[in-house]
Amino acid sequence: MTETLAFGRTPLLTHNYMHYCPGCTHGVAHRLVAEVIDEMGIQDRTIGVSPVGCAVLAYNYIDVDFIEAAHGRAPAAATGLRRTLPPDRYIFAYQGDGDLASIGMAEIVHAANRGEKLTIIFVNNAIYGMTGGQMAPTTLPGMKTTTSPGGRDVAQTGHPIRVCELLDTLVAPVFIARGSLSSAKNTIKAKKLLRQAFDLQHQGFTFVELLSTCPTGWGLSPTDSLAWLDRNMLPFFPTKTFREPGAMPEHTAAYHPDLKVRD
Amino acid sequence: MAYHDVVMAGFGGQGLMAIGKLLAKAAMDEGRHVTWLPSYGPEMRGGTANCVVVVDDEPIGSPSVEHAQAAIVMNRPSLDKFEDTLATGGLLVINTSLIAEPVHRADLTTVLVPANDIAEAEGSPKAANMVMLGAYVAHCGVVSAASIEHAIEVSYVGAKKAYGEANLRAFRRGLAS
Amino acid sequence: MPSQKQLMKGAEAIAEAAIRAGCRHFFGYPITPQNEIPEYMSKRLPEVGGVYLQAESEVASINMIFGGASTGARVLTSSSSPGVSLMSEGASYLVGAELPAVIVNIMRGGPGLGDIAPSQSDWSMMTKGWGHGDKRYISLCPATVQEAVDMMSLAFDLAEKYRNPVVLLGDGLLGQMMEPVIFPALSEIAPEQSWAARGKLATRPRVIVRSLYLDPAELERHVDHLYDKFARMEREEPRAETWMCDDEPPVLVCAFGTVARIAKTAIGKLRGEGLRVGLWRPMTAWPFPVESLQKAAATSDRLLSIEMNKGQMVEDIRAVIGHDKPVGFWGRSGGMVPTVDEMMNAIRGQFANA
Amino acid sequence: MLAASYDLHRFERRRVTALVGSYGSGKTELVLGLAAAARQSDKPTLIADLDVLKPYFRSREAGQRLAALGVTMLAPEGALANADLPIIPHQVRSAIGREDLQVFLDVGGDPVGARVLGSLSDVLGRASCDLFLVVNRYRPFSDTFERALEQARFIANAAQLPITGVISNTHLLDETTADDIDYGLDVARPLATALGVAVRLLGVPASLLPHFAKRDDLPPLVAIHRQMLPEFLGGVVCTPGGTA
């Protein structure tokens, strides 16, 4: 009788023990990123940017060169990498929703608007996981968090920000998509989105949002968390590909590239 | 002439900064030490803009000057601002095309130049600043007229060559005024 | 033969000097009175195959510097006081991650929005307070445009020597004035640093550029290591000028940057009146040139610090001189540039007090 | 000694014991003392530090001292112990399910801290588990019966588990007097009744133990020796964070 290895460690994941809580999808997202880099054979040309947040230690797990950015500043730091490195390099930044959609909103919008040749991986679990589950810009209406104990009151704190939809108003990005890690099937789809983003990275700005769970912050068991994600996050954050190469927003038609203020 | 300083003042857009740079360039080419210090920022737009040029045979300490030895003033507010602060016996070059008021101080050497009228007659109304520079150089002698003419020639090249030629003519009219 | 000199605005000269020193990447955000640096860079860098990028904020520019420095490239940003305040977060990260970079601060009046006129009121911020944590930055203080040019290549060399950010500290006067300068030849610096994150090679372990050390004992070792570097900077990098001190004048004026050159004019005139005055000028705000100051002050009776602020460098002078002799202060703030006459009066006052 | 057991032979509990309550109610001191005492029964004992909220004054800081007593401390290891990351060690889930282990769960304060039990509710629901509410009447939201009851309901809701007992632990750190203990019981007793449970333990500073040992109207007593003090105040814990 012979044994067949059905599932092995991803070659590009380090042997370091992942610190994530049981049921947290960060580990899944890391594995997908590592698999994509491995399959493309670009380990020696890839530099990652880790954020502040639960994924601050991402550099411990994915076996490529890494730099660590200040809170919200990963797109700026990644821009610095992109503008100084040879063009064949692959650069990705990995950010959570507080990091990217709150303190780092300026950096992400402008990196996207400049068409920086990057892949940004945006992990959205609708709360601040690291600091203990406070309200995030992506927290759903009525959702209870430690800083919205009565549920998010949209009259006081606004509505959740849909980052993919927001970035999709910009001209420059070449790929914007939202996937989910709520099931094996969705995870396989999400990996395809990541692969597309990396493949298109040298054409321009690429962005993949991954709907994720936070069992600890949500106070739900891992399986309940997955169900909660599907039931509550999907209606507000639809999974789809918003932007592919060649598909530009309608308002670009009114844009005159030759316009000069003066000679 | 060892140490010399001059303030050049007028409306933003009258080209005071430009003639200050030409003077600084000419002095540098003559092997002198020189500093050029502008007023900058919102002051530059409307009101008065000014720059100070210091020329010396020694390394220059202060690039800013409280009581300048000479002033080129191209509008009324500049005259009001700098007439009183000029050093005793200083040189005051006034653009009478835009300034009708008399000079009150009796201890100054005053040179009256209808710069805008001369420039318009010359066919280049924008070159009034060059007329003023010419008049100033003629009466001050801190640098040679040839050095200024050289500075104009090398500063206006390519597409700007026509401006340079017009400026050269205006400068020479100023010299002769 | 034409002169080797070029007539340059201070800000333009700083930009060109950075390029001559091998800088090919500039990230910045406009603020008066240093806009000529980004403007010059946006024209000049493409000519030499470099990259100019206007960031969305000073917060972004310092973090672009972080990313660029991580690859071993010589990177530059410039700003003025309010913008430099915004950069303090990133500056601290640069120190923590041991990244070289050069930051130019052309100081303007504060606090708050203040004004755009020249000021020296960031002395304390740059020498003590810029960013969180235990950190230091070499701060170079040129007094002339030529010195600013010379200090730019020094700044990049020091940044790489110590793997630490270096500040060029000027004021609005320096940024805006023109003087003739001579530039060094253009140099190309290849970013071949072993610590740079440029893609994992099979021949070396992967590079992680970080300032996070979760184990307090490890962080303490890291900070100790940084302080070993800072101690070496304090030994090797203080720079100062002593002027008109050969006759052991009883009054020693202390001033830095453009104020020092105004002081030279004032002192020259006072010497003409027969008053014996000397000048001590730190060329590095940090490391503060302690030994040079002690030596210059040893033969004088009293010191007078003259600054374009309300008295910041004077605190460092007093920390060195202690109660041995009086250390006076005179300065202007708000963007008011001291005139030669009022400076002469302030110095004469020292003789009246003697 | 970590904490004195006095009456603990009278204290009944299930295999898995989770302590919840407000910040400052004394959960961590109690967990350390109860686990140390439980270890004397020779059954393998484990504390899981599930305080994901505050990076300071957590039971993980007493880990070395507990190890000497044979109590296992389950908490993020190495440098991660000092991270302000809400890390739940993976082994917690299996430890809760192991019949051969006595498990004490030290949970963060307030309903927010109890929420972490929600993420473990599936395994806790299958295990034999006590959820004890620790009450210090001198803490905000616990000073009256009504407010203490409201807080208890919020906590139980966040934990997705019923409260099975109350531990009265009213204290003012070193300034606690005998009167304070009775003052706390005046809320703890009606609170337990309203929750349909009993006051299962009464926390008493070690110095006051002789005074209360004479009385026969009290729940089992537990003597509190404060351990979660900085080292310079005589505690087992270094300043939060590092050890040499």
Side-chain angles (χ1 to χ4, degrees):
Chain A
M1 184 172 157
T2 56
E3 285 183 36
T4 308
L5 185 64
F7 186 81
R9 190 180 61 83
T10 309
L12 248 66
L13 289 180
T14 65
H15 289 274
N16 293 327
Y17 175 81
M18 279 200 195
H19 69 275
Y20 300 113
C21 304
C24 170
T25 43
H26 267 308
V28 179
H30 285 10
R31 180 165 56 79
L32 299 186
V33 173
E35 285 177 0
V36 166
I37 295 168
D38 186 40
E39 286 164 17
M40 292 173 71
I42 55 172
Q43 180 189 21
D44 59 342
R45 281 177 289 153
T46 301
I47 298 94
V49 182
S50 66
V52 168
C54 280
V56 65
L57 298 173
Y59 52 70
N60 279 348
Y61 309 128
I62 303 173
D63 190 20
V64 296
D65 277 5
F66 253 100
I67 73 170
E68 169 197 274
H71 198 33
R73 319 297 176 221
T79 297
L81 290 174
R82 172 50 78 204
R83 299 296 183 124
T84 53
L85 285 170
D88 69 336
R89 299 304 200 271
Y90 287 82
I91 298 159
F92 73 92
Y94 187 104
Q95 296 185 269
D97 41 5
D99 188 69
L100 182 140
S102 194
I103 191 170
M105 187 55 109
E107 283 79 5
I108 189 63
V109 169
H110 287 277
N113 192 47
R114 287 191 301 266
E116 294 292 344
K117 292 172 175 148
L118 305 169
T119 294
I120 306 285
I121 298 149
F122 172 45
V123 175
N124 177 4
N125 58 18
I127 55 165
Y128 283 79
M130 179 173 94
T131 44
Q134 293 85 0
M135 187 179 76
T138 45
T139 293
L140 298 170
M143 183 174 167
K144 287 184 183 176
T145 71
T146 64
T147 50
S148 58
R152 182 175 189 166
D153 175 2
V154 295
Q156 297 292 329
T157 62
H159 289 263
I161 295 174
R162 288 185 259 235
V163 178
C164 284
E165 287 84 339
L166 191 150
L167 295 181
D168 193 34
T169 65
L170 303 173
V171 175
V174 295
F175 187 73
I176 301 171
R178 181 185 289 124
S180 166
L181 302 177
S182 65
S183 68
K185 192 176 149 197
N186 286 340
T187 300
I188 291 166
K189 281 191 198 162
K191 183 179 164 184
K192 283 187 184 145
L193 298 178
L194 286 173
R195 176 64 195 255
Q196 275 181 282
F198 270 83
D199 280 339
L200 291 167
Q201 185 186 111
H202 289 156
Q203 292 182 35
F205 182 82
T206 60
F207 185 88
V208 178
E209 175 175 343
L210 298 174
L211 299 179
S212 299
T213 65
C214 182
T216 304
W218 292 353
L220 296 173
S221 73
T223 42
D224 288 351
S225 295
L226 296 171
W228 192 92
L229 188 164
D230 277 342
R231 190 169 63 251
N232 297 289
M233 290 183 74
L234 276 181
F236 200 86
F237 299 111
T239 53
K240 65 183 249 199
T241 296
F242 294 85
R243 178 73 63 86
E244 286 181 291
M248 290 296 147
E250 287 172 11
H251 63 258
T252 11
Y255 177 77
H256 299 282
D258 294 335
L259 187 70
K260 286 180 187 171
V261 175
R262 64 185 171 89
D263 290 327
Chain B
M1 189 184 253
Y3 177 92
H4 177 74
D5 56 38
V6 54
V7 57
M8 307 178 180
F11 290 123
Q14 280 184 310
L16 279 309
M17 302 291 170
I19 59 172
K21 287 179 196 172
L22 288 173
L23 174 62
K25 166 99 175 95
M28 180 180 81
D29 291 345
E30 291 186 5
R32 318 283 303 278
H33 291 274
V34 60
T35 62
W36 174 93
L37 177 70
S39 60
Y40 59 88
E43 242 190 310
M44 288 159 54
R45 327 211 203 287
T48 67
N50 72 75
C51 65
V52 176
V53 178
V54 179
V55 181
D56 200 350
D57 292 331
E58 305 295 322
I60 295 161
S62 176
S64 64
V65 171
E66 202 173 5
H67 303 291
Q69 295 177 357
I72 299 175
V73 294
M74 288 191 68
N75 67 355
R76 167 75 192 273
S78 301
L79 178 65
D80 292 347
K81 189 169 174 183
F82 291 106
E83 181 187 344
D84 290 345
T85 63
L86 265 188
T88 303
L91 173 68
L92 180 58
V93 187
I94 297 178
N95 176 18
T96 53
S97 298
L98 297 181
I99 305 171
E101 288 68 21
V103 173
H104 300 290
R105 280 178 61 177
D107 64 320
L108 304 176
T109 303
T110 304
V111 178
L112 304 177
V113 188
N116 291 77
D117 298 316
I118 293 173
E120 271 177 46
E122 196 58 44
S124 33
K126 280 186 172 176
N129 58 337
M130 298 292 160
V131 178
M132 295 295 285
L133 180 63
Y136 160 77
V137 168
H139 287 85
C140 169
V142 59
V143 295
S144 72
S147 297
I148 296 278
E149 289 180 4
H150 175 72
I152 293 174
E153 279 163 15
V154 299
S155 300
Y156 296 90
V157 291
K160 293 180 179 170
K161 198 162 186 297
Y163 289 118
E165 286 162 3
N167 284 341
L168 209 52
R169 286 195 300 275
F171 172 72
R172 285 173 181 155
R173 284 296 309 272
L175 269 179
S177 70
Chain C
M1 182 175 162
S3 168
Q4 297 290 302
K5 291 189 175 181
Q6 283 179 263
L7 186 63
M8 297 285 277
K9 236 183 191 189
E12 297 166 344
I14 285 167
E16 178 63 29
I19 292 170
R20 301 291 175 110
C23 169
R24 295 291 179 276
H25 300 88
F26 179 91
F27 305 93
Y29 185 82
I31 182 171
T32 307
Q34 61 81 55
N35 291 323
E36 292 82 356
I37 298 178
E39 285 166 358
Y40 187 90
M41 284 300 200
S42 69
K43 287 197 285 283
R44 182 80 170 97
L45 274 172
E47 291 178 3
V48 293
V51 173
Y52 162 85
L53 187 61
Q54 182 165 319
E56 58 270 27
S57 69
E58 290 88 348
V59 173
S61 36
I62 194 73
N63 283 283
M64 290 173 183
I65 289 293
F66 185 98
S70 297
T71 71
R74 287 197 154 182
V75 288
L76 177 75
T77 189
S78 66
S79 190
S80 178
S81 310
V84 175
S85 288
L86 275 176
M87 291 182 181
S88 63
E89 173 199 52
S92 170
Y93 278 71
L94 287 167
V95 175
E98 295 194 81
L99 292 177
V102 178
I103 298 108
V104 177
N105 180 2
I106 302 296
M107 293 178 279
R108 58 184 257 181
L113 202 48
D115 63 22
I116 59 164
S119 167
Q120 296 182 324
S121 52
D122 297 348
W123 172 280
S124 295
M125 172 165 82
M126 305 322 290
T127 57
K128 301 175 189 74
W130 198 38
H132 57 281
D134 289 317
K135 79 282 143 179
R136 291 292 189 183
Y137 315 88
I138 295 174
S139 293
L140 304 169
C141 311
T144 68
V145 177
Q146 182 66 55
E147 195 170 64
V149 166
D150 298 340
M151 282 180 168
M152 278 312 284
S153 62
L154 174 66
F156 280 104
D157 290 345
L158 292 175
E160 279 170 10
K161 176 178 175 186
Y162 293 104
R163 287 178 60 189
N164 201 68
V166 170
V167 175
L168 188 88
L169 188 59
D171 59 58
L173 276 181
L174 184 79
Q176 292 300 316
M177 67 186 290
M178 277 196 189
E179 286 187 288
V181 290
I182 295 178
F183 289 105
L186 194 69
S187 60
E188 286 275 3
I189 307 287
E192 287 173 359
Q193 313 288 358
S194 61
W195 46 262
R198 301 178 63 81
K200 184 192 168 179
L201 299 174
T203 51
R204 61 156 173 79
R206 69 206 181 95
V207 169
I208 300 173
V209 176
R210 61 170 181 146
S211 61
L212 180 72
Y213 293 86
L214 283 171
D215 177 354
E218 194 191 352
L219 180 58
E220 188 181 48
R221 283 193 297 278
H222 176 60
V223 175
D224 284 347
H225 159 67
L226 296 179
Y227 268 72
D228 288 344
K229 294 198 301 185
F230 300 154
R232 190 173 156 214
M233 294 177 199
E234 284 182 305
R235 284 194 307 275
E236 298 181 15
E237 308 308 341
R239 288 166 168 79
E241 178 193 9
T242 304
W243 187 74
M244 290 267 180
C245 286
D246 290 346
D247 61 348
E248 302 185 355
V251 172
L252 181 67
V253 168
C254 304
F256 73 99
T258 47
V259 174
R261 60 190 296 171
I262 299 175
K264 281 186 177 176
T265 301
I267 290 169
K269 289 189 172 182
L270 289 167
R271 286 266 174 184
E273 296 175 9
L275 289 178
R276 284 164 54 227
V277 190
L279 174 74
W280 177 79
R281 174 173 77 95
M283 296 153 73
T284 48
W286 195 94
F288 194 59
V290 172
E291 282 178 31
S292 163
L293 174 60
Q294 284 168 331
K295 194 172 159 221
T299 53
S300 67
D301 298 330
R302 49 203 312 128
L303 284 69
L304 177 67
S305 185
I306 302 181
E307 307 170 47
M308 279 197 290
N309 58 47
K310 294 302 280 182
Q312 298 190 12
M313 179 176 73
V314 69
E315 294 177 358
D316 297 81
I317 296 171
R318 285 176 179 146
V320 171
I321 302 300
H323 299 290
D324 293 351
K325 50 193 70 175
V327 180
F329 169 76
W330 182 81
R332 299 295 304 269
S333 70
M336 295 298 294
V337 178
T339 66
V340 173
D341 285 354
E342 60 191 16
M343 204 181 270
M344 287 168 69
N345 281 335
I347 299 169
R348 281 192 199 100
Q350 296 296 306
F351 287 92
N353 289 337
Chain D
M1 250 328 256
L2 259 173
S5 55
Y6 176 71
D7 263 350
L8 291 183
H9 57 282
R10 291 207 285 139
F11 171 53
E12 292 173 6
R13 55 174 173 77
R14 295 179 187 156
R15 187 178 61 76
V16 178
T17 307
L19 267 57
V20 293
S22 305
Y23 287 115
S25 58
K27 295 180 299 299
T28 298
E29 296 283 6
L30 282 161
V31 161
L32 294 177
L34 293 175
R39 181 67 187 94
Q40 292 166 10
S41 73
D42 285 344
K43 253 185 127 174
T45 303
L46 175 144
I47 296 176
D49 182 348
L50 301 183
D51 188 346
V52 295
L53 295 180
K54 294 186 306 166
Y56 292 168
F57 296 110
R58 298 185 282 200
S59 53
R60 63 188 68 164
E61 292 160 14
Q64 283 186 335
R65 181 71 63 94
L66 284 164
L69 296 171
V71 176
T72 305
M73 170 65 66
L74 198 53
E77 288 172 358
L80 287 174
N82 302 305
D84 57 337
L85 294 167
I87 300 167
I88 305 298
H90 289 235
Q91 303 93 318
V92 170
R93 297 178 69 83
S94 60
I96 289 169
R98 276 177 56 182
E99 291 294 330
D100 59 326
L101 275 181
Q102 306 186 85
V103 177
F104 291 88
L105 303 178
D106 182 17
V107 181
D110 294 354
V112 174
R115 196 184 49 198
V116 69
L117 294 175
S119 74
L120 300 168
S121 56
D122 49 347
V123 282
L124 285 171
R126 291 193 290 272
S128 165
C129 176
D130 263 321
L131 186 68
F132 291 143
L133 178 72
V134 184
V135 181
N136 175 2
R137 197 176 168 183
Y138 285 122
R139 292 292 301 156
F141 312 112
S142 302
D143 54 336
T144 65
F145 164 73
E146 290 79 13
R147 291 174 65 150
L149 182 61
E150 186 184 50
Q151 177 84 337
R153 288 191 167 136
F154 283 144
I155 287 174
N157 187 44
Q160 299 183 34
L161 290 169
I163 289 168
T164 58
V166 169
I167 297 176
S168 183
N169 195 44
T170 290
H171 69 87
L172 290 168
L173 298 179
D174 295 339
E175 296 167 34
T176 315
T177 66
D179 287 346
D180 295 331
I181 307 291
D182 282 315
Y183 174 72
L185 271 174
D186 289 345
V187 157
R189 280 182 160 138
L191 176 65
T193 306
L195 294 170
V197 298
V199 178
R200 304 281 286 273
L201 268 180
L202 177 63
V204 175
S207 59
L208 294 175
L209 198 59
H211 175 82
F212 286 95
K214 287 179 259 172
R215 285 168 54 176
D216 57 5
D217 60 332
L218 300 175
L221 303 181
V222 58
I224 306 291
H225 294 269
R226 283 186 67 208
Q227 299 297 324
M228 297 305 291
L229 288 172
E231 195 177 30
F232 56 84
L233 293 177
V236 297
V237 181
C238 220
T239 37
T243 48

